[in-house]
Amino acid sequence: MVPPNKEEAVKQAYDKARIYTPQYRSCSNGTAFAIMETFNIMDNNVFKAASGLHGGIGGMGDVCGSLLGASLLLGLVCGSGPKEPVKPKAEETDKPGAMDVPTQLVGQLYKWLRKEFGSVKCRIIRARFERELNQDIHSKGLTDEEKQTALFARCDELTAKTAARTVEILWDIIKTEKEKLE
């Protein structure tokens, strides 16, 4: 069941991502599944599509897998099918080259993540997390395994925040669409 209000939906997505990211050992799957469960949009193909995107696309440290997992859901909810017209925002339908809604929303999420974490590149974000961890007085004396666990905990926090932000972005869109159907 979809939470009754935006605040509860955001909290639910955050909490679910904190659980699913380590469970699936994947930021892209954890983020996508948390958003799907929050809105009761279960799509195994989207979950499968998010596989392999973690660790910055196949572990290559490029674009953050959490951003990619969330982007899949933005496209799923707001995108068009292959035989449907592209949906630009209502106020931009007469502008040449108007971006469709999912492109605008993914761009909005991209800008948020870059501002929040200093980059959208997994390797850069993780390097920052590692530097912060090494500077933290409490991490002195940790084994390499303990440091790795602490580093993954920071990534889990990133995925939780990304899932929550995505739900915040999607809330009004999904609520409006649901009201149209009722």
Side-chain angles (χ1 to χ4, degrees), residues 105-116:
L105 297 177
V106 169
Q108 180 182 338
L109 187 62
Y110 177 101
K111 289 174 186 174
W112 169 84
L113 193 124
R114 186 179 60 203
K115 182 178 179 190
E116 186 79 12

Side-chain angles (χ1 to χ4, degrees), residues 72-164:
L72 289 172
L73 267 295
L74 290 169
L76 179 68
V77 172
C78 302
S80 301
K83 296 184 181 185
E84 298 171 345
V86 173
K87 302 177 219 171
K89 278 194 169 176
E91 65 274 8
E92 297 185 356
T93 54
D94 58 344
K95 294 181 183 175
M99 287 191 287
D100 62 333
V101 173
T103 302
Q104 292 177 29
L105 297 177
V106 169
Q108 180 182 338
L109 187 62
Y110 177 101
K111 289 174 186 174
W112 169 84
L113 193 124
R114 186 179 60 203
K115 182 178 179 190
E116 186 79 12
F117 296 100
S119 179
V120 297
K121 300 281 188 179
C122 177
R123 71 170 102 26
I124 293 171
I125 294 168
R126 286 180 58 91
R128 190 184 108 214
F129 287 169
E130 198 165 351
R131 274 192 314 277
E132 290 170 356
L133 189 61
N134 288 334
Q135 292 170 354
D136 184 0
I137 195 159
H138 301 294
S139 69
K140 305 291 185 213
L142 293 179
T143 66
D144 287 344
E145 187 177 323
E146 291 169 329
K147 282 185 181 179
Q148 196 63 25
T149 299
L151 184 60
F152 280 124
R154 300 232 176 149
C155 287
D156 295 348
E157 177 69 13
L158 178 149
T159 61
K161 286 182 176 182
T162 303

